[in-house]
Amino acid sequence: MQVNPPDQWRTMMKLQKILLASTATVLALSAGFAVAQFQKPEDAIKYRQSAFTVMANSFGKINAVVKGDVPFNKDEVAKNAAIVAMISTLPWQAFGPGTEGGKAQAEVWSNNAKFKAASERMQLAAVDLNKAAQSGDLDSIKKAFGATGASCKNCHDDFRKK
Ligand code: ASC
């Protein structure tokens, strides 16, 4: 059977288009993976631990005020609560599949829906704490601080190694 040249060209052009499109898709996906999923599991562990460290530092500074160890400075508490609220959104993207390790318990991955819900409760509590802190009302700050601390503990109890 003979295939005339124009048909062959059309087929080749079709194949070329498909190849180009799929190459572009693969490149786009792998670029996304490198950013969102980290190069190595250790990179993800370091990222989430760093975020928790920064968050705990600011949370600890508010704790000192709530306990009365440090005098209440409205601007300092507002700044630290904003940091807590901001940073609270970051660690979760670094708990992806294949990033087991650090102090994370296996339940993070085996019961991921519960982990996600606990992380969302903490982020919402941090938003409330930030609202209270921006208002500058120490009583509401104390209340919101207690609720945020409880949301940290709640997640640690189930998902962090002791
Ligand atoms: C902190 C901190 C935590 C939480 C938690 C609250 O200051 O570093 O992990 O509070 O202890 O229960």
Side-chain angles (χ1 to χ4, degrees):
M1 192 190 104
Q2 221 190 345
V3 181
N4 62 35
D7 274 348
Q8 253 177 352
W9 291 341
R10 265 201 294 277
T11 308
M12 272 172 60
M13 280 165 66
K14 258 188 218 164
L15 279 175
Q16 216 165 31
K17 263 190 205 163
I18 291 167
L19 195 64
L20 276 175
S22 50
T23 305
T25 306
V26 167
L27 284 177
L29 282 178
S30 55
F33 264 55
V35 174
Q37 306 284 339
F38 303 95
Q39 299 283 351
K40 295 173 285 173
E42 308 87 81
D43 294 345
I45 293 166
K46 191 173 170 186
Y47 180 96
R48 68 203 188 208
Q49 288 184 342
S50 303
F52 286 128
T53 299
V54 171
M55 189 163 48
N57 180 281
S58 277
F59 199 62
K61 285 172 181 160
I62 303 171
N63 189 29
V65 174
V66 167
K67 280 198 307 182
D69 292 346
V70 167
F72 177 44
N73 177 320
K74 197 169 165 290
D75 293 340
E76 275 300 304
V77 170
K79 185 182 82 182
N80 284 305
I83 291 169
V84 170
M86 172 71 228
I87 305 299
S88 74
T89 65
L90 297 180
W92 323 109
Q93 63 184 312
F95 283 97
T99 64
E100 287 85 346
K103 280 192 165 186
Q105 291 193 36
E107 281 72 15
V108 167
W109 292 272
S110 65
N111 198 348
N112 196 253
K114 189 178 173 190
F115 177 67
K116 191 163 181 280
S119 88
E120 281 164 5
R121 275 199 297 278
M122 191 280 277
Q123 292 170 74
L124 290 174
V127 167
D128 282 346
L129 173 60
N130 189 31
K131 270 189 207 151
Q134 302 311 315
S135 83
D137 178 55
L138 187 55
D139 281 341
S140 351
I141 292 168
K142 284 180 178 171
K143 241 181 107 186
F145 179 86
T148 309
S151 76
C152 299
K153 186 180 182 303
N154 172 58
C155 199
H156 290 167
D157 286 348
D158 292 338
F159 296 104
R160 187 170 76 159
K161 284 180 186 161
K162 305 303 170 286

